[in-house]
Amino acid sequence: MSILTKQELSEINLIMLGQGAPVDIDNTGYNKFDYGAMASLSSKTTLTDNEAYAMVTVFNRYINTQLSHWADRIKETIKYYQKTVKEVKVVDFSKDSVKLTWNYNKTVSDYIKYDMDRTHFKWTKPQGEWVLSIEWDYLKQLLNVFQANGYSTTAIQTVWDNLDELLGDTPESPTDITLQVSRPSTTLDTLVLEVPYHDAIVKAFRNVPYTFFNKSTKTWECYIEFSLVLYKELEGLKIKGLDLSQLKPWADLIDGWGKTYSLIDYTKCPLKFQPYDFQIADATQLLTQKVMLNANDMGCGKTFEQVLVGESIPMSKLVICPPTLRINWKKEILHVNPNANVHIIYSADEFKTVNGWNIIGYNS
């Protein structure tokens, strides 16, 4: 069975357009959201491979109705162009963003990596394949790069031109709203938030960087580091019945990142030795960081330094160490603070923590 030639594609397009512009989906000629794009292609004297592929992809939506006579050849033509044309596929979309996937191209990847602002997009790997989620308003520059590297972007343009129709009407706002928060299994640094539709809430989500709506699951995704921003946005709405209790612990966590603590007065600790100046300097510097690696050589007192840091922070502490060093950690802690609440979690014990120091071995 032969594929449709470019001339035949143009002729079929003219036949469909000749049936008139539709008011809506009326099964006569093109439906409303296809008519404009196909009308623009009718002015082409010669179709490129990308344009031919875009045209036959639209035809495929009508193989059970208006174009049933050409159904088999349309399918064969699509298979042919899928092998010759690079295509950017739309995985999902919302009013704010679209998720895209395509075959790897170094030029495109380098452009995204080095020339684009990461606050407007993010990468995920939900089913083993990398997907780029990018804001609609930031997509135009990337479309130019795709097209310059030979990719078909018809699928994106079709969704963008008909976004409101494809998304449909939004449900009415409820009176009592509970924001449900969970951690996804596909990433380490995001939250999944489920909430009934509300105009003000949607606007609040849109004001938060790295926040996207997943149309397939009807949930929002937000980076944990922006959970405090989101909490303040939602809290500021003053919506009666809006329950943010599941988001608050994450907001409190991020709020804690902005707090700083001073080193305890070690001169009042019952130390059996005089600390070296570099040990005090190290502990002081560690307190200014949220993540830091203490890479001093053996014998320089790394454990002692970390205990000083831990005693300076008024919250629960977790020590993960080789099992053989658990007792040594407890000894070092009690050396600095004899009244410290120290709990060693052994593998045979029931798991529990204390408001103080919690020590556990690697294996546990």
Side-chain angles (χ1 to χ4, degrees), residues 82-341:
Q82 282 177 336
K83 297 178 182 178
T84 59
V85 172
K86 294 183 288 186
E87 179 188 19
V88 183
K89 298 178 182 179
V90 176
V91 176
D92 197 6
F93 56 89
S94 68
K95 285 187 177 181
D96 304 310
S97 62
V98 61
K99 293 184 177 181
L100 308 173
T101 183
W102 62 92
N103 291 334
Y104 175 79
N105 177 280
K106 187 176 186 301
T107 302
V108 175
S109 296
D110 285 349
Y111 180 81
I112 295 172
K113 183 176 181 180
Y114 299 112
D115 298 314
M116 294 183 68
D117 185 347
R118 189 173 179 268
T119 61
H120 298 284
F121 70 89
K122 71 173 180 177
W123 288 101
T124 58
K125 200 173 185 181
Q127 296 179 341
E129 183 178 30
W130 284 107
V131 174
L132 177 72
S133 183
I134 182 170
E135 298 172 7
W136 283 114
D137 293 339
Y138 195 64
L139 182 60
K140 185 176 180 180
Q141 59 178 297
L142 183 57
L143 286 182
N144 294 333
V145 176
F146 277 132
Q147 293 163 0
N149 285 272
Y151 283 89
S152 170
T153 58
T154 303
I156 304 172
Q157 194 63 51
T158 299
V159 172
W160 175 241
D161 290 342
N162 305 280
L163 191 59
D164 291 337
E165 293 180 46
L166 294 172
L167 288 174
D169 295 329
T170 54
E172 296 181 359
S173 300
T175 54
D176 293 322
I177 305 173
T178 300
L179 181 69
Q180 297 182 347
V181 182
S182 61
R183 291 286 299 279
S185 59
T186 53
T187 66
L188 295 175
D189 49 3
T190 58
L191 297 174
V192 172
L193 307 106
E194 184 176 358
V195 62
Y197 181 85
H198 188 288
D199 284 336
I201 292 177
V202 170
K203 291 178 181 178
F205 273 107
R206 290 175 179 171
N207 289 335
V208 180
Y210 289 94
T211 302
F212 302 84
F213 184 72
N214 187 325
K215 183 175 177 291
S216 61
T217 60
K218 306 295 184 184
T219 58
W220 291 88
E221 296 180 21
C222 175
Y223 273 80
I224 292 173
E225 63 192 273
F226 290 103
S227 58
L228 178 60
V229 177
L230 178 60
Y231 182 82
K232 290 181 177 180
E233 287 280 346
L234 294 173
E235 189 180 38
L237 298 177
K238 305 297 183 182
I239 297 176
K240 183 179 180 180
L242 178 57
D243 182 4
L244 301 176
S245 59
Q246 293 187 31
L247 180 61
K248 191 175 188 307
W250 297 103
D252 291 342
L253 170 68
I254 304 307
D255 189 40
W257 289 2
K259 295 179 180 178
T260 57
Y261 300 95
S262 300
L263 189 68
I264 59 172
D265 185 356
Y266 64 91
T267 61
K268 295 182 180 180
C269 298
L271 303 178
K272 298 178 181 178
F273 57 85
Q274 175 64 34
Y276 290 104
D277 290 342
F278 78 85
Q279 292 176 325
I280 303 304
D282 286 350
T284 301
Q285 184 182 8
L286 283 161
L287 280 168
T288 67
Q289 307 297 316
K290 301 309 171 189
V291 178
M292 191 170 178
L293 174 65
N294 187 338
N296 284 343
D297 285 338
M298 291 181 62
C300 288
K302 293 188 296 296
T303 303
F304 169 68
E305 292 177 359
Q306 302 307 137
V307 173
L308 285 179
V309 171
E311 283 295 309
S312 302
I313 301 175
M315 59 185 70
S316 298
K317 271 74 70 171
L318 174 65
V319 176
I320 305 173
C321 63
T324 55
L325 295 181
R326 289 176 298 193
I327 299 298
N328 183 66
W329 264 94
K330 181 176 181 179
K331 179 181 177 181
E332 291 272 6
I333 295 167
L334 295 177
H335 175 218
V336 175
N337 179 11
N339 299 317
N341 187 8

